[in-house]
Amino acid sequence: TVAAALSLAGTLFVLAILVVVITDIGGRELFNHPLRGATEMVSIAFVVVVFLSLPYAVLAGRTARVDLFSAWLGERTPRVAAGLSILFDLTGAVLMLLMTWALAPEVQRAWELDDYVGSLGDFTVPIWPVRALQCLSSAVTVSVFLLLAFRSMQRYRARGPSR
C-alpha cells in the first residue's frame, strides 16, 4: 500500500512536470515570458519521480533482471531459481539500506543549511523535501526487497531438496 501510494505520488509529479513544461512553452511562445524556475522545478521533479516510483517498481518485478534466464532456470531447477531470487533481493535490500544511510545526513544537512536550488532573487526551491522523499523511498524499497526475499525463502522451502 505504501509503495503504491508513493508510485501514485510519482505519477502526480509527472503530471506536474507536464503542466510546468506546457506553461513554460506557452509563456515563451505567447507572451515572450518563460515560467521562472521551470528548469529547476523539472530537474528536481525528475529525481523525485524516480525515487517515488522505485518501491512499487521493485514490488511489481520491473527491475533489471534477466527474465529469460530466470524463467528457464525456474522451469528446470525451481529451488536454485528461488535461491538466486533470495540472493538478488537481499543484495537489493543491502544496497538500498546503504542508500538510505547515505541520504539521511543529507536531509539533515539540507535542512540545517537551508540548501536550495535556483538563484537568489529570482527563483529558489528548498532541497530538503527532495532529500527527505529520496530517503523515505529508499527506506520503503529496503522493506520491499526484504518482503520479496521472505517470499523467495518460502518458495525455496516449499520446493524441497534440489534435484
Side-chain angles (χ1 to χ4, degrees):
T1 304
V2 174
L6 291 175
S7 183
L8 175 62
T11 302
L12 294 175
F13 267 92
V14 170
L15 292 174
I17 290 170
L18 290 172
V19 169
V20 167
V21 169
I22 290 170
T23 303
D24 184 48
I25 292 171
R28 285 175 193 273
E29 295 298 320
L30 298 174
F31 307 110
N32 199 24
H33 185 53
L35 180 64
R36 291 172 47 178
T39 304
E40 290 85 356
M41 287 187 280
V42 169
S43 64
I44 286 172
F46 272 122
V47 172
V48 171
V49 166
V50 168
F51 273 87
L52 289 177
S53 302
L54 187 59
Y56 192 76
V58 170
L59 188 61
R62 304 228 190 274
T63 55
R65 286 191 187 196
V66 183
D67 288 333
L68 184 62
F69 177 71
S70 298
W72 176 82
L73 191 62
E75 289 174 6
R76 283 161 182 67
T77 55
R79 190 170 168 120
V80 172
L84 285 175
S85 287
I86 293 168
L87 180 65
F88 177 84
D89 294 332
L90 289 177
T91 302
V94 168
L95 292 174
M96 291 311 298
L97 185 62
L98 291 172
M99 175 78 78
T100 305
W101 184 67
L103 283 168
E106 291 296 316
V107 175
Q108 183 179 358
R109 186 187 69 73
W111 173 267
E112 290 173 352
L113 297 178
D114 199 24
D115 204 4
Y116 62 89
V117 173
S119 301
L120 276 175
D122 183 34
F123 180 85
T124 59
V125 176
I127 203 71
W128 71 265
V130 174
R131 296 288 183 254
L133 286 173
Q134 287 176 299
C135 194
L136 172 70
S137 294
S138 296
V140 172
T141 305
V142 169
S143 64
V144 167
F145 270 122
L146 290 175
L147 172 70
L148 293 176
F150 177 74
R151 288 180 182 170
S152 294
M153 284 182 210
Q154 288 178 322
R155 279 196 318 274
Y156 182 83
R157 288 185 182 136
R159 301 293 184 217
S162 294
R163 294 182 220 165

